């Protein structure tokens, strides 16, 4: 007996029956059955059928992709001429991959009237100051923006942000940082949060600064904003009208409470009191945004120098400076001068670390080039951005010794690891790869010497090969510097550069594993 089901209630009844008599596994096939029930009338089945066919024939969708996309369309509008929409998108600057992604996410876009609907929306955003390429990037990151009404959503949101941020240029900057800022009824939420902040005593200047740092903070639920304000005021004694407020807000908002509490625990393990932590945070909140590893290393090194928690809390930027590129080299120079009992400027540690590189050389290096001829060269090997690679990797014993000492003191290597890493053969291989094959300047390697330490076979070459494949296929990817790419954990590298492309390059993961030496 043939039974014809109509409506959502019938579909639900079938689902309940399936669970009762056949188990939950049978529900896996109900999605397509429900779609048939809901779209069984001739008025709506024709458009979705034509849509699926068009997606396969014209845009290269698989049948499964076409079926999933078509199921999102409930409109009974006539499926007229979707080529007009596709041509408009391509003329705007979308490539084939971006068009496919846009259509898959919002297939009802193909039912749009270009001149009445799409063109005015796109023009509104370009009038704001977005270039065509900017517009494509924003919509490629958040495809739902094309569904939002011009009069009911886009214009009110733009007007609100323009009034809040003061100019179209600032609105464009905010949109580029948070592309989905226009993709839902955010302006209503933002209005409520701005009112909440003002009523709590936050100045308009601080509100604008928060938006500049990260616009999506104002799109959160008011309860979340209230919680952030409470933590800043009660836990860290930050005045809401103070200039440090936006940075403190950002530091806490960007991580879970348990995360920064764990970091506070690290400070306390080095003898810091609650008052010390509060003083540091009120001076430089960014210290709690540092990684746990960075905090641990910085505190350990400063403790070995004899720095008390109170001094560090009152001069927190010394914890932020790079140990490898600034702190260790400068401390080493001062130590050499003191060991040789040479008169020098008596600057505190904070001032010695915070002055510019030019000033440091002028104060503590150049005046002693006659007494200590190799002091200048030794410092250049680590911190001078203009040295040539042969200086750093001279075969003379003093240079080799200095490199080994740097690896042990700055990067935590054992004596054996440092001696192995500084071998002439390994250095020559690394320099050949980075300079001759990858085209990096010696000056860059000088500023990031740790890239020479990583295994070429197990890390550097496999990762460069993945990036080469992505670039060859002209796929959009994160534009990270060499140092960042090489220093990422393997999990992070896979998350950033392999998994997002498993559909376009199915064998990329296996290929990456094979290129890694065992």
């Amino acid at each position: 007996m043939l039974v014809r089901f109509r409506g959502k209630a019938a579909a639900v009844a079938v689902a309940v029956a399936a669970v009762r008599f056949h188990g939950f596994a049978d529900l896996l096939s109900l999605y397509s059955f429900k779609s048939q029930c809901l779209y069984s009338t001739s008025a709506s089945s024709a458009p979705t059928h034509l849509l699926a066919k068009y997606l396969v024939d014209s845009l290269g969708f698989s049948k499964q992709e076409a079926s999933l996309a078509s199921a999102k369309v409930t409109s009974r509008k006539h499926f007229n001429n979707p080529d007009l929409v596709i041509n408009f998108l391509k003329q705007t600057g979308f490539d084939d991959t971006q068009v496919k992604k846009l259509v898959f996410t919002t297939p009802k876009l193909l039912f749009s009237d270009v001149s009445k609907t799409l063109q005015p929306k796109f023009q509104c955003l370009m009038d704001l100051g977005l270039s065509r390429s900017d517009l494509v990037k924003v919509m490629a990151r958040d495809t739902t923006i094309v569904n939002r009404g011009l009069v009911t959503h886009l214009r009110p949101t733009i007007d609100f942000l323009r009034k809040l941020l003061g100019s179209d240029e600032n609105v464009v900057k905010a949109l580029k940082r948070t592309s989905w800022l226009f993709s839902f009824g955010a302006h209503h939420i933002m209005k409520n949060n701005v009112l909440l902040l003002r009523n709590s005593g936050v100045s308009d200047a601080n509100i604008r600064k928060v938006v500049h740092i990260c616009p999506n903070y104002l799109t959160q639920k008011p309860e979340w904003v209230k919680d952030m304000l409470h933590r800043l005021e009660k836990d860290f004694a930050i005045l809401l009208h103070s200039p440090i407020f936006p940075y403190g807000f950002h530091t806490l908002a960007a991580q879970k409470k348990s995360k920064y509490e764990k970091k506070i625990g690290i400070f306390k393990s080095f003898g810091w009191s609650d008052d010390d932590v509060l003083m540091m945070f009120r001076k430089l909140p960014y210290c709690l945004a540092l990684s746990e590893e960075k905090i641990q290393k910085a505190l350990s090194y400063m403790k070995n120098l004899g720095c008390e928690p109170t001094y560090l809390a009152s001069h927190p930027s010394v914890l932020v400076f790079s140990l490898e590129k600034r702190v260790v080299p400068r401390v080493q120079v001062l130590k050499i001068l003191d060991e040789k009992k040479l008169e020098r400027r008596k600057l505190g540690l904070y001032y010695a670390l915070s002055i510019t590189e030019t000033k440091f050389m002028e104060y503590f290096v150049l005046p002693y080039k006659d007494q200590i001829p190799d002091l200048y060269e030794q410092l250049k090997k680590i911190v001078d951005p203009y040295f040539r690679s042969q200086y750093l990797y001279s075969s003379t014993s003093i240079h080799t010794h200095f490199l080994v000492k740097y690896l042990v003191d700055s990067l935590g290597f054992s004596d054996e690891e440092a001696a192995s890493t500084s071998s002439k053969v390994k250095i020559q291989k690394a320099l050949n790869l980075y300079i001759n094959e990858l085209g990096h300047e010696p000056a860059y390697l000088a500023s990031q010497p740790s890239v020479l330490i990583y295994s070429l076979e197990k890390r550097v070459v496999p990762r460069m090969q993945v990036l080469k494949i992505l670039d060859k296929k002209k796929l959009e990817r994160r534009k990270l510097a060499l140092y960042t790419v090489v220093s990422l954990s393997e999990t992070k590298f896979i998350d950033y550069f392999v998994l997002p492309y498993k559909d376009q390059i199915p064998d990329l993961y296996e290929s990456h594993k094979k290129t890694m030496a065992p």
Side-chain angles (χ1 to χ4, degrees):
M1 180 176 66
L2 179 63
V3 180
R4 184 179 179 87
F5 293 94
R6 292 184 182 275
K8 294 182 180 179
V12 172
V14 173
V16 173
V19 173
R20 180 178 299 169
F21 296 109
H22 301 287
F24 192 78
D26 286 345
L27 282 176
L28 295 175
S29 63
L30 283 179
Y31 181 78
S32 60
F33 177 78
K34 185 182 76 170
S35 296
Q36 294 173 10
C37 294
L38 295 178
Y39 306 118
S40 60
T41 63
S42 59
S44 59
S45 61
T48 54
H49 171 71
L50 291 174
L51 173 59
K53 188 176 188 307
Y54 178 82
L55 296 178
V56 173
D57 295 344
S58 301
L59 298 182
F61 278 54
S62 67
K63 290 184 177 180
Q64 182 181 12
E65 289 173 333
S67 176
L68 289 173
S70 300
K72 300 174 185 178
V73 176
T74 58
S75 172
R76 301 190 182 202
K77 293 171 62 176
H78 185 58
F79 193 55
N80 191 7
N81 191 352
D83 286 337
L84 291 176
V85 174
I86 299 302
N87 291 337
F88 172 74
L89 293 175
K90 290 185 176 180
Q91 288 170 7
T92 302
F94 289 83
D95 60 30
D96 291 341
T97 301
Q98 291 167 333
V99 168
K100 186 176 178 180
K101 177 183 176 183
L102 191 61
V103 171
F104 180 80
T105 307
T106 58
K108 70 177 184 179
L109 176 70
L110 295 176
F111 293 81
S112 301
D113 186 307
V114 172
S115 60
K116 292 182 179 179
T117 305
L118 295 183
Q119 197 167 19
K121 288 181 184 180
F122 282 42
Q123 191 61 49
C124 174
L125 293 172
M126 287 191 287
D127 289 344
L128 180 63
L130 287 172
S131 65
R132 286 180 179 269
S133 60
D134 290 335
L135 181 65
V136 170
K137 289 177 183 177
V138 167
M139 289 194 172
R141 288 197 298 266
D142 183 15
T143 57
T144 61
I145 195 171
V146 297
N147 289 334
R148 302 306 162 190
L150 176 62
V151 176
T152 59
H153 182 79
L154 293 181
R155 284 178 179 163
T157 303
I158 291 172
D159 290 342
F160 170 76
L161 289 173
R162 182 185 289 127
K163 185 177 180 181
L164 176 65
L165 300 179
S167 70
D168 287 353
E169 182 182 359
N170 288 335
V171 176
V172 169
K173 289 179 181 178
L175 182 58
K176 286 181 179 179
R177 288 193 187 95
T178 306
S179 57
W180 47 264
L181 200 60
F182 287 0
S183 65
F184 68 109
H187 63 283
H188 297 299
I189 299 174
M190 287 191 290
K191 282 181 180 178
N192 292 335
N193 282 330
V194 167
L195 185 60
L196 170 61
L197 291 172
R198 284 172 176 162
N199 290 340
S200 299
V202 182
S203 67
D204 283 354
N206 275 347
I207 294 173
R208 282 194 293 272
K209 192 67 178 178
V210 169
V211 177
H212 284 311
I213 293 173
C214 190
N216 75 322
Y217 291 151
L218 290 190
T219 65
Q220 305 299 317
K221 294 181 179 179
E223 292 74 18
W224 181 86
V225 176
K226 287 180 182 178
D227 183 51
M228 288 297 112
L229 296 178
H230 178 80
R231 293 187 205 176
L232 281 169
E233 280 193 299
K234 304 302 180 184
D235 297 346
F236 292 95
I238 295 291
L239 299 176
L240 301 186
H241 62 271
S242 70
I244 207 69
F245 165 79
Y247 306 100
F249 189 96
H250 175 57
T251 298
L252 299 189
Q255 57 188 323
K256 293 181 179 179
K257 185 177 181 180
S258 59
K259 189 75 173 177
Y260 68 72
E261 285 180 339
K262 189 174 181 181
K263 294 175 184 178
I264 291 174
I266 296 175
F267 282 99
K268 290 186 175 181
S269 71
F270 281 85
W272 286 49
S273 66
D274 288 336
D275 288 341
D276 292 332
V277 173
L278 291 179
M279 181 190 298
M280 175 200 70
F281 189 84
R282 287 196 292 268
K283 285 180 173 290
L284 189 61
Y286 179 71
C287 288
L288 279 187
L290 298 171
S291 70
E292 294 172 28
E293 181 183 12
K294 166 74 173 174
I295 293 171
Q296 188 86 33
K297 283 184 177 181
L299 291 176
S300 179
Y301 185 80
M302 292 300 167
K303 183 177 182 180
N304 289 336
L305 291 181
C307 295
E308 293 294 329
T310 303
Y311 178 80
L312 296 176
S314 61
H315 300 87
S317 58
V318 301
L319 301 174
V320 176
F321 293 133
S322 169
L323 281 176
E324 294 81 5
K325 291 188 284 185
R326 180 180 289 243
V327 178
V328 174
R330 293 191 181 189
V331 169
Q332 184 66 20
V333 167
L334 299 180
K335 183 178 179 182
I336 292 172
L337 296 179
D338 291 341
E339 286 176 350
K340 292 185 177 291
K341 298 181 180 180
L342 295 171
E343 285 192 10
R344 66 172 177 87
R345 291 174 182 259
K346 298 301 180 182
L347 298 183
L349 177 66
Y350 166 73
Y351 294 102
L353 295 179
S354 60
I355 59 177
T356 65
E357 189 62 32
T358 301
K359 281 293 183 185
F360 185 84
M361 301 291 274
E362 181 185 328
Y363 289 171
F364 300 107
V365 177
L366 296 178
Y368 309 98
K369 61 182 180 181
D370 294 331
Q371 299 99 312
I372 315 176
D374 60 341
L375 179 62
Y376 179 63
E377 293 302 323
Q378 289 182 8
L379 180 64
K380 282 177 69 177
K381 294 168 195 174
I382 298 179
V383 298
D384 184 357
Y386 303 108
F387 84 106
R388 303 305 291 177
S389 61
Q390 59 265 34
Y391 294 156
L392 177 58
Y393 299 109
S394 168
S395 59
T396 61
S397 59
I398 186 169
H399 286 171
T400 302
H401 170 74
F402 195 79
L403 176 59
V404 170
K405 183 173 177 54
Y406 164 69
L407 296 175
V408 173
D409 292 346
S410 302
L411 301 180
F413 276 51
S414 66
D415 291 338
E416 295 77 12
E417 289 172 331
S420 172
T421 299
S422 60
S423 70
K424 186 175 180 180
V425 173
K426 179 168 184 177
I427 291 170
Q428 287 177 338
K429 282 185 177 180
L431 291 176
N432 181 61
L433 173 66
Y434 288 125
I435 296 174
N436 298 331
E437 296 183 29
L438 297 179
H440 291 284
E441 292 293 327
Y444 177 75
L445 301 179
S447 66
Q448 304 288 352
S450 59
V451 300
L452 299 166
I453 296 167
Y454 295 113
S455 168
L456 296 181
E457 296 79 9
K458 295 181 181 180
R459 179 180 289 242
V460 180
V461 173
R463 294 189 178 189
M464 294 302 104
Q465 185 64 24
V466 168
L467 299 187
K468 184 178 179 181
I469 292 172
L470 297 180
D471 291 341
K472 188 175 181 180
K473 292 185 176 292
K474 297 181 179 179
L475 295 171
E476 285 192 8
R477 66 171 177 86
R478 292 172 182 255
K479 300 299 182 183
L480 301 183
L482 170 70
Y483 168 75
T484 307
V485 171
V486 173
S487 60
L488 286 172
S489 67
E490 184 62 19
T491 301
K492 280 290 185 186
F493 182 82
I494 295 293
D495 286 344
Y496 288 173
F497 299 106
V498 178
L499 295 181
Y501 309 98
K502 61 182 179 181
D503 293 334
Q504 298 100 314
I505 315 176
D507 59 345
L508 182 60
Y509 180 69
E510 292 300 324
S511 175
H512 175 59
K513 288 204 301 185
K514 288 178 183 177
T515 57
M516 295 176 64

